[in-house]
Amino acid sequence: MSVSVREFAERGADLELVGIQKRFPGFTAIEDLDLTIPAGSFFALLGPSGCGKTTTLRLVAGLEEPTSGRILIGGRDVTGTKAHERPVNTVFQSYALFPHMSVLENVAFGLKRRRIGDALGRAHEALRLVELDHLAQRRPAQLSGGQQQRVALARAIVNRPALLLLDEPLGALDLKLRRQMQLELKTIQEEVGLTFLHVTHDQEEAMTMADTVAVMNKGAIEQMGAPAELYELPRTSFVANFLGQSNLFTGDVAGVTDAAITVDIAGARVIVPTARAQRHTGRVTIGVRPEKVTLSREAIAPSSDRNALGPGRIVDVSFSGVSTQYLVAIPEAGTVTVFAQNTGSGPVVGEGAEVWISWPVEHGFGLDDVAEPSSRFAADDDTTSIAAQRREELVTELEEG
Amino acid sequence: MAFAAFQTAEVVPQAPRKRSRIALFLLLPGLLYLVLFFITPLFSLLLTSLQAPSEFGDIGQYDYAFNWQNYVTVMTDYWPHIVRSFGYALAATVFALLFSYPLAYFIGVKARRWPMLQGLMLVLVIAPFFISFLLRTLAWKQLLSDESFVITSLKALSLMAPDAHFTGTPFAVIFGLTYNFIPFMTLPLYTTLERLDLRYLEAGSDLYANPFTVFRKVTIPLSMPGIVAGTLLTFIPAAGDYVNASRDFLGGPDTQMMGNVIEANFLVLLNYPAAAALSIILMAAILVLVGVYVKRSGTEDLL
């Protein structure tokens, strides 16, 4: 066993993945992944199930071997080392607390293996940190899901690993507990200064917790950046739709200047700042976030700083407290989603009303790929089929969770 | 800290379940069966063990009495057999465990990806049951007799002394017991290992435990129910076995176990009280040993 595992990490370590490929019999989980996570950062790998994010985590933990490529932790090549030799700890999705040991024994397990002095004292300390010291003698089966999650967290952080891996650790928690745990993880990260690699399919979790989010799809990273950057300026249709919702339109570029490109969408001219567009010629997909779009009951003339489309018809209204979501069917342009804050200002319109939509030019974005036509909802979709689609999405989400 | 908001909710004690007459009624056939075929014979056995020879009767005629000296007599007469029984049974259990654990681990864990192989190997484990236990033991006697190919070859290669035997030795009896009870060890081990959640093993290696430590600290404790069930299912029948140790099978005059002396007392010497006393001793000793063992291994819930 190398020296580094015997000692506590002074601080977080860089993680570097170089040309990682992982093939399983019959499919490729990861193809050519390059990734650098700087020490001390909170990094989230976000993606749908089957995108290779958990495989990436397992490769870093040493639970799987890459088909090719190298893994470096703190500059040291650990590709050939076994899981127990890596200065890495994992909070497993299922927690994987040893059922035959008490909570305290679970937390002290790693310390004892490394022969670090006063294992039980340190374990108690870690349990105090997650406020579970009074349950130290219980068995994991006697704890609630949230408590087990905290024990799993204590069991990992007590080892002061250079790198902490979190595999959907909040998946089994209810909303309120999730929020608390998110906050707690963030606090621990700031206090202890570890490097966190967090894998999740929950975009909200990734965005609230991580400094850097990498969106993964089909074994490759689609886009990487700060949460706000990813949200405001998605580069691919996958990112635009996976991270929040987007209204996407596809059309041909009609004009390019240094400042803006003009795209022909169903006969209307839509302007996108050149700096915010990935492609400047040919057929392109552009988009705008639903909360950036404003509804109005009168026709709006497009201007150099405001795009407008219409008229369209409201096909669905759903009220969710802080905001109302409208679905507007615009002939040839597709169905547009609009979020309106319930501030009392702005029109309150019902189903069937004729409306125009508009948004500030600086909020538009141009994608690198051409979206499948009407990737979200077809124009002739009625509420029932939309509801059915929503339901399916929820079911898949539940199954994944 | 934020966690204070989530103190454990108090567990509300549940009201005791109402007694159901139907449940008692459904228990009746089972209870009746136990009384007729277990309690009654056991009581009869106890009475027999305390009988004294009839004053004017023939050999094999006894009267009811409270002749507890029967126990002292059989203990003094047969203590080597008693010790031998438990010694052989213990050795056979240890060998069966050492042989079965890797086998069950392979079938239950390593072969999970190939259900066909799993099924095939399980069939192979059970296959010997399709042939009578006595026939199999006799076959081993043939295979390992002094004139057999195996023994003559070993002697020709000077791996065995020219005048040595295999059958009739303690080793042969332990071998027979191990062989005959291996399925009883393998199957419970397999059922536990088959359900072993490999994520615990991964968690172990993630927490700096090398493969050997993971095995010792995680795999073994998690498969303890299978180990306890398997060793009990092997040890109990092996301690009372009288086939393997019998002179007609793999044993000899010096390998007689309790089962053999009980048989001899019942069927040859017609000393029923001695046989009954020995049976009671065997049963009591097994109960005590099993009780201590289960208590020590922390798997009381199995009983």
Side-chain angles (χ1 to χ4, degrees), chain A residues 29-43:
Chain A
I30 298 168
E31 34 194 336
D32 199 32
L33 182 71
D34 286 287
L35 187 63
T36 304
I37 300 174
S41 66
F42 199 124
F43 192 94

Side-chain angles (χ1 to χ4, degrees), chain A residues 12-265:
Chain A
D14 298 330
L15 170 69
E16 221 178 315
L17 302 181
V18 187
I20 291 288
Q21 192 190 46
K22 177 65 185 173
R23 258 180 270 154
F24 289 107
F27 76 103
T28 304
I30 298 168
E31 34 194 336
D32 199 32
L33 182 71
D34 286 287
L35 187 63
T36 304
I37 300 174
S41 66
F42 199 124
F43 192 94
L45 267 181
L46 174 68
S49 66
C51 73
K53 57 187 194 301
T54 297
T55 307
T56 309
L57 197 85
R58 292 173 59 81
L59 287 169
V60 176
L63 301 173
E64 303 274 358
E65 273 178 53
T67 310
S68 64
R70 292 188 306 137
I71 300 165
L72 293 94
I73 296 172
R76 198 166 64 94
D77 192 331
V78 297
T79 319
T81 60
K82 298 268 184 278
H84 67 275
E85 298 163 333
R86 297 191 186 185
V88 169
N89 286 109
T90 312
V91 180
F92 292 92
Q93 184 172 13
S94 56
Y95 315 143
L97 297 176
F98 303 124
H100 58 290
M101 294 180 196
S102 70
V103 164
L104 185 70
E105 287 167 329
N106 262 285
V107 178
F109 190 90
L111 296 173
K112 284 187 179 166
R113 302 287 83 74
R114 299 200 293 170
R115 298 195 171 78
I116 282 171
D118 193 24
L120 292 182
R122 286 176 197 270
H124 275 299
E125 212 172 288
L127 282 170
R128 271 195 289 277
L129 183 70
V130 294
E131 303 207 347
L132 280 179
D133 201 30
H134 60 294
L135 301 178
Q137 298 308 327
R138 295 255 187 111
R139 290 288 167 107
Q142 295 169 295
L143 304 186
S144 71
Q147 290 169 335
Q148 290 186 27
Q149 205 272 324
R150 279 145 61 190
V151 175
L153 188 64
R155 187 175 71 168
I157 58 173
V158 74
N159 297 299
R160 288 289 189 88
L163 180 61
L164 186 68
L165 307 177
L166 303 154
D167 185 5
E168 309 244 6
L170 311 180
L173 304 184
D174 61 49
L175 192 69
K176 193 178 159 201
L177 218 61
R178 265 174 108 95
R179 289 277 177 280
Q180 294 286 0
M181 285 312 303
Q182 287 178 358
L183 200 75
E184 211 52 53
L185 279 176
K186 208 59 194 155
T187 315
I188 287 168
Q189 192 237 349
E190 276 155 20
E191 276 172 13
V192 186
L194 309 176
T195 310
F196 277 54
L197 174 56
H198 180 190
V199 151
T200 178
H201 70 272
D202 183 331
Q203 44 128 340
E204 200 188 320
E205 193 174 301
M207 293 212 281
T208 45
M209 294 173 74
D211 329 315
T212 314
V213 176
V215 181
M216 240 182 138
N217 185 29
K218 292 176 187 158
I221 289 178
E222 290 250 341
Q223 192 177 349
M224 197 166 101
E229 186 189 321
L230 284 188
Y231 185 80
E232 296 301 339
L233 193 54
R235 275 209 298 264
T236 64
S237 54
F238 178 81
V239 177
N241 279 324
F242 192 77
L243 210 67
Q245 291 186 40
S246 292
N247 294 305
L248 300 181
F249 312 98
T250 302
D252 293 312
V253 175
V256 190
T257 67
D258 283 348
I261 63 167
T262 311
V263 186
D264 178 19
I265 304 291

